[in-house]
Amino acid sequence: MSNLDLGIIGNSTFSALVDKQGRIAWACVPRFDGDPVFCSLLMGAREQAEHGFFDVLMQDMSHSTQHYLHNTAILVTTLHDRHGNAVQITDFAPRFKDRGRMFRPLHIIRQLRPLAGHPRISVRLRPAFGYGAERGQCSRGSNHLRFAGPSLALRCTTNLPVAYLADEVPFLLEEEATLIFGMDESFPHDLVLAGHEYFERTCEYWQDWTRFLAIPFEWQKAVIRAAITLKLCSFEETGAIIAAATTSIPEAPGTERNWDYRYCWLRDAYFVVQALNRLGATKTMEDHLRYITNIVAGWEGEHLQPVYGVALNKSLVEAIVDHLPGYRGMGPVRRGNQAYEHIQNDIYGSVILAATQTFFDQRLKDPGDVALFERLEAVGQRCIELFDQPDAGLWELRTMARVHTYSAVMCWAGADRLARIAAHLQNPERADYWRKRAEHMHRTIIDQAFDRERNSFVESFGGQEVDASLLLMFELGFLPPEDPRFVGTVEAVEKALRRGDHMFRYAQKDDFGIPETAFNICTFWLIDALDAIGRSDEARRLFEKMLESRNHLGLLSEDIDPNTGELWGNFPQTYSMVGLINSALRLSKKWSDAF
């Protein structure tokens, strides 16, 4: 049965997901939002997929193990048979500095090595085209297989006998083999030597990158794995960071809550920038800020979209892919995301919050200037106009517009940060202007969204319910954590939405019914809020429970079943990994207090 016991490899151009048995079950080319040439993850049960995968099958296999090489994105899967034989599969995408540039080709490299005895294996390489619609035409060269689709051609170059791959026959693996899969280009180098060089230099790159991370004293392995995953979800060409590598993994079984997350949500930007800043991953942070400022620079005052493509694409038209049955047969499978058309007023504040970093961080090569501030002021005007207007909210409710408290608070935060930026730029007139607007918004939000009888904020102006986003009020600076109104809000949200060790986004019925699974980022929000109001021991215990909820490689999806612990939703979820990073850095003992 398909599950989310998957590992991710990649090089900040594309990524691939590998299951516990060594199958590459998901990979899009030539970039994250491209055609999923490996798409068996969405073809029903694992054994039902007829194409869309890259397998190494062990004859008479008994079990497998899997791990990442220390502090890298290099994944090692070991297959064992019932006779004591074993084969090791090393999967990675090359990434390293070469000739002053980052070398990150669209290559999946698979190195096969007999580990014990005389393993007998077969290799099944079956890419698909047109979102799984067809297998394409296969042709042979002396050392490669070529796969041609309607608009794309791929090639696998190998030192294995090509006939073994083409006919998928079992054979004894008696020496190391290398397979390089990617675009239809010749590979003019010694395959094994190049594979070894790429492996060594990629390993060196990742271990060097992690050496310079500002990690906490506690939970170091978990934070490093989350940071590497965050890096793997970045599209380095533009600085975009995708929400997840997949589309249409349902939030809960049989619910049709199936979305395409291979895009960049602006609301995530502030929290992603915050995590990268705390980690000291300044180059990735600066790239992402460049992506945000490019959106602002191209904005002409029209509706600012909640989500954009990795190359600043605006049109993400949502369509159903009929010929893919979906994860475990749970369709629909969607391509594109309708959210790009939504009215979500929190986006304006999110953009300003993310861009604020450029004005105050002296490490950045291109600091914020007056021109950027003036562009952000135009965004801020939208905050003033929209903070008390109905929208779809951060949960992207498709048919339920109202004045969401979180959207209003984010608009307030945009005005508040503009006041601080203006003061930093020594412009007292604009600082006073934005400070007064922020104060007015602050008073209005408290008047309209605070329920004095319950001593709690509610999720919308004049509403009756709470949602998990209210836990962020202290994080955004709207209220200090010791404020009784915030403490009361935390208690009300916890009472309404906590299920065991996990948090729901909200509990009321939406467009698709009553939510059935917990939202992992919301649990991290609760952890941070509990710590902020002085319930630190509870926060640490809950954080440890969330670490136990990760898969065998330390990765998280978007959602989790609070009863079974099974992961659901798109994978790996950037926001979940960001939540882990921020909570770990908040809760950990200080290095100075550790010895």
Side-chain angles (χ1 to χ4, degrees):
M1 181 175 69
S2 298
N3 58 43
L4 297 182
D5 285 336
L6 304 166
I8 183 171
I9 60 171
N11 59 10
S12 296
T13 294
F14 79 104
S15 63
L17 301 181
V18 187
D19 74 12
K20 265 188 172 181
Q21 290 76 46
R23 166 180 284 188
I24 299 179
W26 184 260
C28 300
V29 298
R31 62 190 197 191
F32 295 118
D33 57 353
D35 191 1
V37 295
F38 297 130
C39 54
S40 63
L41 187 64
L42 298 183
M43 287 186 167
R46 186 183 192 276
E47 59 276 7
Q48 292 175 336
E50 296 183 355
H51 57 275
F53 57 79
F54 193 169
D55 267 343
V56 177
L57 296 182
M58 182 79 156
Q59 303 297 299
D60 296 324
M61 192 176 85
S62 61
H63 66 284
S64 63
T65 59
Q66 197 171 53
H67 69 279
Y68 282 107
L69 291 186
H70 179 64
N71 290 356
T72 75
I74 299 173
L75 186 63
V76 177
T77 308
T78 305
L79 310 180
H80 301 262
D81 70 13
R82 291 192 291 269
H83 315 291
N85 303 304
V87 61
Q88 185 180 82
I89 309 164
T90 301
D91 288 319
F92 66 98
R95 178 178 171 83
F96 51 83
K97 274 285 189 74
D98 185 56
R99 301 174 190 175
R101 302 186 299 269
M102 188 59 68
F103 180 67
R104 37 178 168 76
L106 208 160
H107 284 162
I108 295 174
I109 297 184
R110 311 204 81 178
Q111 296 174 321
L112 311 181
R113 184 164 68 92
L115 197 63
H118 304 280
R120 192 162 180 260
I121 66 170
S122 58
V123 177
R124 299 194 301 172
L125 175 54
R126 301 182 186 179
F129 299 91
Y131 278 73
E134 57 182 277
R135 287 186 62 175
Q137 297 295 317
C138 179
S139 57
R140 308 183 192 193
S142 56
N143 298 105
H144 73 266
L145 287 180
R146 182 178 185 271
F147 303 88
S151 59
L152 185 69
L154 304 167
R155 178 184 297 221
C156 181
T157 306
T158 182
N159 63 330
L160 287 172
V162 173
Y164 291 175
L165 269 67
D167 300 336
E168 299 181 353
V169 296
F171 62 93
L172 287 173
L173 183 69
E174 297 180 309
E175 59 184 8
E176 183 177 329
T178 300
L179 302 100
I180 298 182
F181 177 85
M183 303 303 286
D184 183 28
E185 300 170 348
S186 61
F187 194 81
H189 311 290
D190 182 293
L191 204 65
V192 175
L193 289 178
H196 279 293
E197 180 188 356
Y198 286 5
F199 170 85
E200 294 294 341
R201 296 183 72 178
T202 300
C203 186
E204 181 182 11
Y205 165 81
W206 285 111
Q207 291 181 343
D208 219 34
W209 186 79
T210 58
R211 280 179 56 229
F212 293 98
L213 294 176
I215 60 173
F217 176 75
E218 298 179 275
W219 309 300
Q220 293 182 30
K221 288 183 178 180
V223 171
I224 289 171
R225 182 53 49 201
I228 291 173
T229 305
L230 185 56
K231 181 69 174 175
L232 290 176
C233 289
S234 68
F235 186 64
E236 195 165 59
E237 285 185 41
T238 65
I241 296 180
I242 58 172
T246 58
T247 176
S248 304
I249 308 297
E251 294 178 11
T255 60
E256 297 194 7
R257 297 176 186 267
N258 301 21
W259 319 113
D260 191 347
Y261 274 15
R262 299 171 299 157
Y263 309 112
C264 184
W265 266 258
L266 295 188
R267 83 161 42 84
D268 299 352
Y270 166 68
F271 300 99
V272 170
V273 167
Q274 184 184 50
L276 292 170
N277 178 41
R278 290 173 174 175
L279 287 169
T282 51
K283 177 64 168 63
T284 306
M285 179 182 71
E286 194 163 21
D287 287 346
H288 193 48
L289 288 169
R290 172 168 49 87
Y291 177 86
I292 300 301
T293 54
N294 263 304
I295 288 175
V296 174
W299 182 62
E300 297 178 351
E302 75 281 14
H303 163 55
L304 189 61
Q305 295 178 195
V307 57
Y308 289 81
V310 296
L312 304 175
N313 326 49
K314 290 185 176 181
S315 181
L316 306 175
V317 177
E318 186 174 297
I320 304 298
V321 181
D322 292 322
H323 48 267
L324 283 176
Y327 181 75
R328 299 189 192 171
M330 299 175 188
V333 170
R334 303 180 199 265
R335 175 185 182 181
N337 198 301
Q338 186 191 339
Y340 85 98
E341 299 176 322
H342 287 183
I343 303 298
Q344 296 178 27
N345 297 336
D346 62 297
I347 300 306
Y348 301 93
S350 299
V351 167
I352 296 170
L353 258 69
T356 298
Q357 185 79 24
T358 65
F359 292 91
F360 295 94
D361 194 332
Q362 294 296 317
R363 298 169 297 177
L364 303 184
K365 183 175 66 175
D366 298 312
D369 56 14
V370 172
L372 176 58
F373 172 66
E374 290 174 351
R375 288 197 292 269
L376 291 175
E377 282 200 294
V379 179
Q381 288 297 329
R382 298 291 282 163
C383 290
I384 294 171
E385 296 164 9
L386 298 173
F387 86 99
D388 59 354
Q389 298 301 305
D391 72 344
L394 84 161
W395 307 127
E396 299 179 348
L397 302 173
R398 296 194 168 199
T399 61
M400 300 180 183
R402 48 184 175 262
V403 183
H404 289 92
T405 303
Y406 177 80
S407 295
V409 170
M410 288 300 289
C411 286
W412 163 84
D416 174 78
R417 298 323 189 261
L418 285 171
R420 301 185 193 198
I421 295 170
H424 177 72
L425 295 176
Q426 298 182 340
N427 188 334
E429 179 183 348
R430 300 310 295 168
D432 183 62
Y433 174 87
W434 287 109
R435 190 175 300 110
K436 287 179 179 177
R437 296 328 183 259
E439 289 170 353
H440 166 71
M441 295 158 77
H442 197 279
R443 289 192 299 269
T444 303
I445 293 167
I446 290 176
D447 182 59
Q448 296 294 324
F450 184 68
D451 187 329
R452 287 166 176 78
E453 289 186 12
R454 298 171 63 182
N455 190 35
S456 172
F457 284 86
V458 290
E459 55 84 32
S460 61
F461 283 16
Q464 300 296 316
E465 308 292 340
V466 296
D467 77 351
S469 69
L470 300 172
L471 297 169
L472 293 170
M473 283 185 155
F474 89 97
E475 185 75 46
L476 298 170
F478 188 82
L479 288 177
E482 65 273 11
D483 190 302
R485 293 169 295 186
F486 179 69
V487 175
T489 299
V490 173
E491 293 170 350
V493 171
E494 184 179 17
K495 181 179 179 181
L497 302 179
R498 183 169 177 175
R499 306 290 186 272
D501 295 318
H502 303 280
M503 284 288 291
F504 278 54
R505 292 171 288 183
Y506 48 83
Q508 64 268 36
K509 184 178 180 180
D510 61 17
D511 306 313
F512 296 88
I514 301 293
E516 299 177 20
T517 52
F519 210 60
N520 287 323
I521 185 61
C522 296
T523 306
F524 289 117
W525 291 348
L526 176 64
I527 289 166
D528 294 346
L530 291 176
D531 181 67
I533 66 174
R535 294 165 59 183
S536 299
D537 290 343
E538 293 177 67
R540 289 177 63 88
R541 187 193 68 79
L542 200 57
F543 183 74
E544 293 283 0
K545 288 291 184 180
M546 283 302 294
L547 293 184
E548 294 172 9
S549 298
R550 299 172 301 158
N551 77 2
H552 65 295
L553 293 169
L555 307 181
L556 282 169
S557 63
E558 182 181 44
D559 306 270
I560 192 168
D561 187 320
N563 298 313
T564 67
E566 184 172 8
L567 295 176
W568 289 90
N570 283 306
F571 178 93
Q573 180 76 6
T574 299
Y575 218 1
S576 298
M577 307 313 288
V578 164
L580 187 155
I581 292 166
N582 286 332
S583 292
L585 290 166
R586 178 182 186 88
L587 296 175
S588 174
K589 297 175 183 176
K590 295 180 180 179
W591 284 84
S592 57
D593 298 335
F595 302 102

